[in-house]
Every structure is written in C-alpha cells, then in structure tokens.
Amino acid sequence: MATTTLETRENRRAWGFVTPALLWTVAFFVIPFIVMAAISLATRKGRELVMMWNLDNYVTFFEKAHLLKGLFVSLEITFTVTFISILLAYPLAWIIAERVPQKWQRMALIMAILPFWTSYVVRSYSWLLVLAKNGVINNTLMQIGLIAEPLEMASTRSATVIGFVHFFVMLLTLTIYANLVQMPPNYRRAAADLGANGFQVFWHVVLPLTLPGIMVGAFLTFVLCIGDYITPQILGGNNELALPQIIMLQLGRRADFPMAATLSIILMGVVTLAYIACARWLKMERT
Amino acid sequence: MISSRFSKALSWAYLIALYGFIFLPVAVLVLFSFQDGRLPVPPFNGATLKWYAQVFADDRLMSALGNSLMVALGSSTVACILGFCAAYGLARYILPASRLQRGLLVAPMTVSYLIIALGLLSTFNWVGISLSLWTVGIGHVVINLPLCFAIIYASMGDHQKNIERAARDLGAAEWQVMTQVSAPMLMPSILAAFFLSVTFSWDEFIISFLLSRFDVTLPVEIWSMLRSGLNPKTNAVGSIVFLVSVALLLILELIVFRRTAKK
C-alpha cells in the first residue's frame, strides 16, 4: 500500500515537471495548427471568414496555374540548392577532416560556419551588394575588362540559389564532417589492401558510410530552403515567386487567410513527404 | 610523388576558394559599412564611422535593438526553464507514453517557421489577442523550447542520476535536488541551450514580422530599411548584428570548451 501511494505521489510530481512544457506546445503549436487547418477549409467573404468545411481552396490551388507554379518553382530551387550544396560541401568537409592538421580542424569548422551567425535578413542583403548591377562582381569584371555591360544577376533565380547555397554549404559541411571523422581509418586501409583503387574505396566504402550525414544535411536543407521567404524575396525579386512568397502575398495585399492557410498546409505536406523519403537515414543517425 | 603534391595543392586551392565564397558577402558588408559615400558598392572611397554614428542616433533602430534583446532574453529564459523541467521529468521518472511526449515536444523543430507563425497568427486573430512583443515572444518560445529540451535532455546521464539519488538519501527535498544538485551539474548544457536560443531569437525574422505590430524587433526594422535600397547604414547595422552574434558564439564556445576541458 505504502509503495503505491509513494508511486502515485512520484507520478504526480513527474507530471508536474512535464506538464508546463506540454501545455505550451499544445496551446501554441498543436492548437494553432488545427486552427490553421480549419481555416484552410473556410472561404473569405469580404472581410469575414465563412467556414465551408470543404476542400475548395485545395481545388483552387491545383486549378490556378500561378499558385501551382509557385510549388514547382520552390521545388526546383530547393533541389538545385540541395544538389549544389552537397557537391560543394563534401570536398570541403573531406579536406578539413583529412588534410587540415587535427588541432586546426575545430578552428576551420568554426571559421566555415562564422557567416552563419550574421542575421538572416542581413546575409541576403550582403549578397545583394555582391551581385547588384553596380555591385562587387560586376564592378570587378568591368574593371579587368572581361565584360562591357553589367550582368543582370540580382533579382534572378541564380541569385536566390547562390544565397541559399552559401548558407547550406556551411550546414552540410558540418554534418558530413561529423560523419567523416567517425569513420575508422581501418576500413579504407582494408579496402585498399584488398585491391580497391582510390575511386573504388571512395565509391564503395567512404560514400556509403557518410550517406547518413549527407541525408541529414540534405533533409535540413530541404526543410529550411523550401519554407524560406527572405532569400527568394530579397535576392530573387518578384520575377518568379516561390511558394512562401505567394503565401505572404495572400496575407498582405489580398488578405486571403484561407488561401494562405491552404498553401501552408500544402507546404507542410511536401516537407512531410521529404521526411518520409529520408526517414531511413534520419533514424540511422539517431542510434 | 608529383600526383600527391598536386592533389595537396588542389585541396588547398579548393579550401581557399570555398572560404572565399563563404566570407565574400560578410567581408563586403563590413568593408562598405565604412564607406565614405552614399552607396555601399565599389569603388571604396575611404573610411568613415559616420554610418555607425547614424545607426546609434536612430531612435527606431535603437528601440528595435532593445526590443530584440528583451524578446531574445525573455523567450530564451522561458524556453530553458520549461525545457529543463520537462527534461528532468522525462529523464528521471517513468511516465506513460514518454516517447510520444518527447516526440510532441520536439515536433515544432520539423515545421517551417512560416507555418508556425501563420498558425499562431490565425489563432491570435480568432481568440482576439492583439499583436505585440508578447506574441513574438510566445512564438520564439515555441521554436526554442524543442531545442532547449533536446539539448538538456541529451545531457542528463546516469552519472548525475546517482548523485541526485545520494542527495535525496541525505534528506534533500525534490526542489532542493533540482535547484541545488541537478541544475548546477547541468549548467553547461543549460547555458548552451540558453545562448543558442538567444541567437536564434535574435536572428528570427518571419515570426517577428507576422506577430508584431507597432513595436518591432531588429530584423524586422532592418527589413523595412531594405526598401530604400542599398545603403551604407544598413551595412553598419548588419555589421553590428554580426558582431553581437559572434560574441554570443564565442561565449557559447568558451562554455562548451570549458565543459570538455573539465571532463
């Protein structure tokens, strides 16, 4: 008897510790999400929201070309960015892990992620300074006489991609580096002893073992990239709109909350699909 | 061997090229914050501090800076306390559905800030809560709580558990164990979680943008400065923000370093 009362008291105390955080998460994360999902089933009549409880907004999304295009623009940008970032980050992580002396590796990593700590808004603005019509690159190229007319680099998709790649190379370098240093050197030596050449060692041994790091980084890149408003807005401009830009447009000028909610739910659906696709590797990382 | 020397040279060239790419925008930002002219683009006309003086004389920017600090420190404190308590409860007691609880607590980490902001905005509109720095702070706790919980939870090992048990056997009450034994032992990771939260909140734009009205945070104020195009004053603010973040990072690094040195 005594033990049960002790247990219930212990139990109540434990709930006391956990409940505040759980309540906060439910009140300000779960409920808002449900509210937003409900609003996506409503429609806007003038300034009022009318609950329709139907999927009209979702049908509209697939019918209106400019909305659907936003999703494809976002997906294209995100895949391009993820691909280029991995290609650039892998050699960097490898060089830091293999060529940089051990005691300098930590420093090298800190240096590599230093610009990560500039404000998000400021980072995109900085790229504008570099890519603008009268910016650093155009200025330098014209000075050395490579081009006569300034190149149109700002307000293009390339600018958005450059801004994103800059950010995600830092992130992927970290996750891939973490994987590379965990790998015992014997594995590669064993493969080489068994007659594999440099490329074969990389392709059959090193790459598969670092795949978890790549996938974790790629997933983070995907999630952060596809949901970002700042970078495409500042660097890409209004020539072609990514999904988050369209969401913000619904909120601002059009004050169409139901459509903004619908697009957000769709955005979240895409991220969930990406999670399912990567789940295998994300789990491996955890154990 | 020529080929190994060649590959070595290639590695260093690649390293330098990528670091150049990573540092180019930051270098340009800081350099042209000293520009003695009206455009922060080449040619560099010489150094002046007048843009920094303008930043510090700008009331709107200064109050935005104050707001940012307030929101960052406040929301991180709340996130750390909630995160610590939850981690303590889940690591030290056996609770039903603890996996589900952990999953729920870290779930906001996997959702875009834009969606979290939009959800909160719809809810606040629906309930009739008007937007202010408080609503921004609530949003920042939502994004930082998973982080604080995960960091502190991960650092609660069995080693500390034994010390806590010893304290309890010696007659310490639960709150004494928590505040005088567990919290000091876990201080490095609590501080790491705190400073990481501060940097995230300090930097966060979309939640602050959608959930604030009259009083705004620094990133939102900088955003509205961007509408006037390229301006050395924006460079100056950006450089200040960068310096503050690097200072926070250094503090974090020193704490983490101290922890690893102790072990």
Side-chain angles (χ1 to χ4, degrees):
Chain A
M1 245 353 233
T3 48
T4 49
T5 51
L6 192 68
E7 261 169 27
T8 46
R9 211 171 63 201
E10 286 264 286
N11 228 318
R12 211 177 298 147
R13 191 180 280 154
W15 280 112
F17 288 127
V18 185
T19 309
L22 287 177
L23 275 182
W24 190 284
T25 309
V26 170
F28 299 118
F29 176 71
V30 178
I31 292 178
F33 185 72
I34 295 170
V35 171
M36 193 171 73
I39 289 180
S40 79
L41 306 177
T43 191
R44 184 183 51 128
K45 285 243 168 71
R47 295 189 131 228
E48 295 289 306
L49 284 184
V50 183
M51 289 310 298
M52 305 295 277
W53 304 110
N54 61 26
L55 293 172
D56 281 2
N57 290 322
Y58 294 87
V59 175
T60 313
F61 170 77
F62 287 102
E63 280 172 358
K64 291 268 168 66
H66 70 279
L67 295 176
L68 198 58
K69 192 177 167 239
L71 178 63
F72 285 114
V73 168
S74 276
L75 282 174
E76 276 169 29
I77 290 175
T78 303
F79 278 117
T80 317
V81 166
T82 311
F83 185 69
I84 297 177
S85 302
I86 293 171
L87 280 189
L88 287 177
Y90 202 101
L92 183 63
W94 189 84
I95 292 168
I96 293 178
E98 297 287 323
R99 290 285 157 90
V100 174
Q102 193 103 47
K103 63 173 178 182
W104 290 108
Q105 288 187 5
R106 199 180 163 75
M107 198 59 210
L109 280 179
I110 290 177
M111 292 292 281
I113 61 162
L114 204 61
F116 186 86
W117 302 97
T118 49
S119 148
Y120 219 40
V121 179
V122 173
R123 202 176 319 119
S124 296
Y125 169 78
S126 312
W127 272 110
L128 212 54
L129 297 173
V130 175
L131 299 172
K133 211 163 189 171
N134 48 0
V136 174
I137 289 184
N138 271 326
N139 221 293
T140 316
L141 289 180
M142 276 161 68
Q143 286 270 310
I144 51 176
L146 266 176
I147 52 167
E149 291 290 311
L151 301 171
E152 207 63 67
M153 284 180 294
S155 298
T156 62
R157 187 189 289 193
S158 311
T160 308
V161 170
I162 291 173
F164 271 134
V165 166
H166 179 242
F167 182 73
F168 292 115
V169 160
M170 303 186 249
L171 193 108
L172 276 156
T173 303
L174 277 185
T175 60
I176 296 171
Y177 170 87
N179 249 251
L180 279 172
V181 289
Q182 277 170 10
M183 188 172 49
N186 302 353
Y187 287 13
R188 269 179 294 166
R189 228 171 285 148
D193 285 350
L194 292 167
N197 64 29
F199 176 76
Q200 283 170 327
V201 171
F202 173 76
W203 191 252
H204 295 291
V205 180
V206 178
L207 191 61
L209 284 171
T210 49
L211 205 56
I214 297 176
M215 292 314 286
V216 170
F219 175 68
L220 282 173
T221 306
F222 189 93
V223 174
L224 295 173
C225 188
I226 205 161
D228 185 39
Y229 166 69
I230 285 289
T231 310
Q233 182 66 27
I234 294 181
L235 289 171
N238 291 320
N239 292 335
E240 61 171 13
L241 298 179
L243 198 53
Q245 288 175 287
I246 297 181
I247 295 177
M248 293 297 280
L249 213 61
Q250 309 297 323
L251 283 184
R253 184 141 38 94
R254 308 204 41 213
D256 191 346
F257 244 85
M259 201 58 202
T262 306
L263 295 175
S264 303
I265 301 277
I266 290 170
L267 182 64
M268 212 177 135
V270 172
V271 172
T272 311
L273 284 181
Y275 177 78
I276 292 168
C278 298
R280 197 151 60 102
W281 291 283
L282 298 176
K283 263 198 203 96
M284 236 164 92
E285 181 67 0
R286 219 174 287 147
T287 50
Chain B
M1 259 174 73
I2 297 167
S3 75
S4 99
R5 195 182 292 166
F6 176 70
S7 90
K8 209 169 181 178
L10 201 67
S11 310
W12 287 111
Y14 188 80
L15 201 70
I16 291 165
L18 264 235
Y19 275 92
F21 170 65
I22 288 172
F23 274 91
L24 176 65
V26 183
V28 172
L29 176 82
V30 176
L31 175 68
F32 287 102
S33 68
F34 299 109
Q35 171 80 304
D36 194 2
R38 284 181 48 211
L39 275 179
V41 286
F44 188 64
N45 299 332
T48 169
L49 285 174
K50 72 174 174 195
W51 301 110
Y52 286 91
Q54 278 199 19
V55 167
F56 287 109
D58 188 326
D59 287 340
R60 286 172 60 107
L61 269 176
M62 284 300 111
S63 73
L65 190 121
N67 292 342
S68 266
L69 276 178
M70 219 157 61
V71 169
L73 294 174
S75 69
S76 303
T77 309
V78 175
C80 264
I81 293 172
L82 290 177
F84 172 73
C85 289
Y88 188 83
L90 282 167
R92 294 293 178 259
Y93 296 90
I94 299 155
L95 281 170
S98 67
R99 244 182 105 158
L100 185 74
Q101 293 186 34
R102 284 197 309 251
L104 180 66
L105 286 176
V106 297
M109 242 199 265
T110 58
V111 178
S112 299
Y113 287 0
L114 176 61
I115 294 171
I116 291 175
L118 211 60
L120 282 171
L121 182 62
S122 335
T123 312
F124 290 146
N125 275 346
W126 178 52
V127 182
I129 297 171
S130 56
L131 300 177
S132 64
L133 288 177
W134 288 99
T135 49
V136 176
I138 288 174
H140 283 183
V141 175
V142 173
I143 58 167
N144 281 329
L145 176 56
L147 191 85
C148 292
F149 168 73
I151 292 175
I152 299 171
Y153 183 79
S155 69
M156 285 189 163
D158 288 333
H159 165 66
Q160 286 105 335
K161 203 172 183 170
N162 290 333
I163 300 178
E164 286 160 13
R165 201 173 294 150
R168 234 170 262 138
D169 287 348
L170 291 168
E174 189 62 27
W175 63 271
Q176 284 175 316
V177 174
M178 207 168 126
T179 55
Q180 290 173 25
V181 181
S182 314
M185 269 193 302
L186 295 165
M187 208 29 98
S189 55
I190 294 175
L191 285 177
F194 180 76
F195 282 109
L196 215 54
S197 301
V198 170
T199 22
F200 281 170
S201 166
W202 166 257
D203 228 22
E204 200 287 324
F205 170 76
I206 200 82
I207 294 176
S208 313
F209 182 66
L210 288 177
L211 297 183
S212 64
R213 186 157 286 168
F214 303 114
D215 294 321
V216 295
T217 61
L218 194 57
V220 180
E221 185 60 37
I222 294 174
W223 169 258
S224 61
M225 280 174 75
L226 290 191
R227 254 178 263 154
S228 59
L230 303 182
N231 184 342
K233 195 172 152 195
T234 314
N235 288 45
V237 191
S239 306
I240 295 169
V241 173
F242 179 55
L243 269 180
V244 172
S245 305
V246 169
L248 281 171
L249 181 69
L250 272 178
I251 296 173
L252 185 73
E253 171 67 16
L254 281 177
I255 291 165
V256 175
F257 177 73
R258 222 176 47 192
R259 181 177 58 174
T260 42
K262 255 186 203 162
K263 268 183 188 168

